[in-house]
Amino acid sequence: MQAQLPQLPAYDRSKLRPGIVHIGLGNFHRAHMAVYLDDLFAMGLGHDWAILGAGVREGDARMREALKGQDCLSTVIELDPKGKSARRVGSMIDFLPVEPDNAALIAAMARPEIRIVSLTVTEGGYFINPATGQFDPAHPEIVADARNPHRTAFGAIIAALKARRAAGVPPFTVMSCDNLPGNGHVTKAAVTGLAAINDPALADWIAANVAFPNGMVDRITPATGPREREMAASFGLGDDPVPVTCEPFRQWVLEDNFPQGRPAFEKVGVTLTPHVHNFEMMKIRILNGGHATIAYPGGLMDIEYVHEAMANPLIKGLLDKVEIDEIVPYIPPVPDTNLGDYYRLIVERFSNPEVADTERRLCLDGSNRQPKFIVPSIRDALASGGSVEGLALVSAMWCRYCYGETDSGTPIPPNDPDWDALVARSRDAKARPAAWLEMVSVYGDLGQDARFAGAFERHLNRLWAIGTKQTLTEYLA
């Protein structure tokens, strides 16, 4: 089916007024929260909740330049197999200067009309110690921020909250839109933990007075490259350097904890519920755990795209077996949701060829993703006396991937913030598999569990002896 013409904002953007500062203008935010608000504004509602974009890293300055060059409009292309459609999302009305001291960002967040500060700073951007699951005050960026305050997003948030308190302005709500279990709790720990280093009284005030709602977010948004830019041009949108492509599906589940008010999210399909944790466990374990399950066999077998991996019967068979036997059984009930139906929807979404999501993107940042998406399922299965064979194989394939070459001998470019350390450990683990499980930051004490460690060692040895394809064949036999 032919692509539809782009849809422009159905409202007068000159009438919008800011109510939200959003830090981290990556693809996900622009295809998710920005789209929900665009839909709301098109209904004639919430025009005092427009977004001021912001960023604290070098790449954010490049994004600012690109978006400011097109009046802060984002091209969002939905990749429906029945026909692509494009829209210009207009819910962001400005992008603040990106500065080392975050002065413009702090000043904007201190303004009384800003009632929500939201974030997408990636799973690894919250300074969590993976071994403890707690905020890490010893992280180098936190130590640097404590010495020279306001350099991180959290340092800027603290400075703005301090300014509002001094001026008698009620604090804004801090809303994480990142893919983390208990993202509101994690964000609160980061903000109060950093504040406590220099100003314990301020940290106590933040803990008592600032809302940090939990939320579950979901939409597959591939990285932008030449294909995506060409697609935007095919819609007559010129040379947009930063278009976003995404699947048709989107979901947002949110705690209704906004003391200074919020947009009417419920009008545009957001689920407001006190049971966010149930939804997020379902999503993080089934979807994100599923991504981790298909990522590394595809990467090792030189498969480029996710839909191609799903068309491979060995990888699809692995996903089915791991999900049905070792992940889904340990997920608590979710309101108005059948877990089997949800998993079937995930399979359909992964298999969408129009999305053209890459295996390399799914393999990215395993050192931050494995502890959140795979390890909790291993722990629950072990505690219940269930099988961990498939999950141990997933871990073994991650280890084998981090050796730095595929089964064919093709080099794997660095694909993790800790890539060099992972490569060195993977090479040690080729002769001594236990070396991999000694990463306490990922596995905690799981390396001492005989069932898991034994299964991991057996699978890793087979991957080296006979390769990924034959190891999966044996596992599924």
Side-chain angles (χ1 to χ4, degrees):
M1 184 179 292
Q2 202 161 21
Q4 302 169 23
L5 291 174
Q7 170 191 333
L8 294 170
Y11 48 89
D12 183 352
R13 294 180 72 224
S14 71
K15 303 288 178 61
L16 298 180
R17 297 292 177 265
I20 299 171
V21 168
H22 183 84
I23 304 172
L25 269 290
N27 283 12
F28 180 77
H29 163 75
R30 292 184 296 132
H32 193 262
M33 177 178 146
V35 169
Y36 280 102
L37 286 170
D38 193 63
D39 287 346
L40 186 68
F41 298 166
M43 297 170 68
L45 301 172
H47 286 191
D48 59 341
W49 287 105
I51 300 167
L52 297 179
V56 296
R57 300 197 180 273
E58 184 181 341
D60 296 316
R62 294 191 295 273
M63 181 65 77
R64 178 180 189 265
E65 182 180 1
L67 289 173
K68 289 282 281 185
Q70 52 198 42
D71 196 25
C72 292
L73 289 165
S74 280
T75 300
V76 177
I77 303 171
E78 290 195 1
L79 302 170
D80 191 326
K82 298 174 184 175
K84 304 181 188 72
S85 61
R87 65 194 286 182
R88 295 286 249 174
V89 172
S91 48
M92 186 175 77
I93 57 173
D94 198 5
F95 200 130
L96 302 166
V98 180
E99 304 164 327
D101 63 358
N102 288 317
L105 170 58
I106 293 166
M109 292 189 293
R111 288 159 53 179
E113 67 268 27
I114 298 302
R115 289 148 287 162
I116 296 173
V117 171
S118 53
L119 306 103
T120 42
V121 295
T122 76
E123 295 93 347
Y126 287 80
F127 309 108
I128 301 166
N129 182 329
T132 64
Q134 305 298 313
F135 171 72
D136 183 5
H139 190 284
E141 287 194 54
I142 293 300
V143 172
D145 201 322
R147 283 199 304 261
N148 184 12
H150 319 148
R151 300 297 291 260
T152 65
F154 303 113
I157 286 170
I158 291 163
L161 287 170
K162 185 175 182 178
R164 290 173 78 113
R165 182 182 64 165
V169 175
F172 46 71
T173 295
V174 182
M175 179 176 69
S176 170
C177 299
D178 275 303
N179 190 32
L180 289 165
N183 58 8
H185 300 317
V186 170
T187 308
K188 182 176 183 177
V191 173
T192 57
L194 177 55
I197 295 173
N198 289 329
D199 193 340
L202 177 61
D204 291 343
W205 180 85
I206 292 171
N209 292 279
V210 179
F212 295 85
N214 289 300
M216 182 271 267
V217 295
D218 190 8
R219 190 170 217 184
I220 295 172
T221 53
T224 296
R227 171 183 179 268
E228 289 70 29
R229 294 184 187 97
E230 289 169 11
M231 201 180 298
S234 74
F235 282 97
L237 295 171
D239 297 325
D240 186 338
V242 287
V244 180
T245 59
C246 55
E247 62 174 336
F249 178 89
R250 57 183 151 112
Q251 187 177 22
W252 195 2
V253 182
L254 192 57
E255 281 181 341
D256 197 359
N257 182 17
F258 294 84
Q260 305 311 317
R262 61 166 174 79
F265 289 130
E266 70 279 5
K267 302 282 189 183
V268 286
V270 179
T271 300
L272 294 158
T273 175
H275 304 294
V276 170
H277 180 68
N278 300 66
F279 284 92
E280 75 183 6
M281 181 182 288
M282 172 185 73
K283 187 259 178 174
I284 284 171
R285 299 218 185 167
I286 297 179
L287 185 143
N288 298 108
H291 267 163
T293 298
I294 66 174
Y296 300 106
L300 290 168
M301 294 164 68
D302 298 296
I303 295 173
E304 183 175 4
Y305 291 109
V306 174
H307 67 273
E308 294 172 340
M310 291 298 291
N312 181 297
L314 294 174
I315 296 177
K316 172 61 162 55
L318 170 71
L319 179 67
D320 284 341
K321 192 168 174 60
V322 169
E323 292 273 14
I324 293 166
D325 293 349
E326 300 181 20
I327 295 178
V328 173
Y330 308 107
I331 296 173
V334 179
D336 303 315
T337 304
N338 178 287
L339 293 179
D341 290 344
Y342 181 80
Y343 173 59
R344 285 184 282 276
L345 172 64
I346 296 302
V347 169
E348 180 182 322
R349 293 168 61 194
F350 287 2
S351 303
N352 182 347
E354 295 295 339
V355 173
D357 202 3
T358 64
E359 289 287 275
R360 179 169 170 79
R361 187 186 78 87
L362 301 194
C363 292
L364 172 69
D365 202 14
S367 60
N368 274 305
R369 294 179 174 183
Q370 290 277 319
K372 300 174 181 71
F373 303 157
I374 292 295
V375 169
S377 292
I378 296 171
R379 290 193 180 281
D380 283 355
L382 288 171
S384 299
S387 169
V388 290
E389 284 290 324
L391 291 167
L393 176 54
V394 171
S395 270
M397 288 187 291
W398 175 43
C399 172
R400 169 65 186 84
Y401 177 88
C402 291
Y403 192 83
E405 62 182 43
T406 70
D407 284 351
S408 69
T410 302
I412 297 171
N415 205 19
D416 192 286
D418 294 324
W419 185 252
D420 290 344
L422 291 172
V423 170
R425 192 175 285 273
S426 176
R427 294 184 178 186
D428 287 346
K430 184 176 181 181
R432 188 176 67 87
W436 189 258
L437 302 183
E438 289 167 2
M439 280 193 291
V440 177
S441 62
V442 174
Y443 294 104
D445 60 358
L446 279 179
Q448 299 164 35
D449 185 281
R451 277 203 300 144
F452 175 66
F456 173 86
E457 179 172 346
R458 188 169 63 254
H459 289 312
L460 184 60
N461 287 339
R462 295 305 284 162
L463 287 167
W464 277 117
I466 60 176
T468 305
K469 181 178 179 181
Q470 198 56 40
T471 300
L472 289 175
T473 302
E474 285 186 356
Y475 169 72
L476 295 170

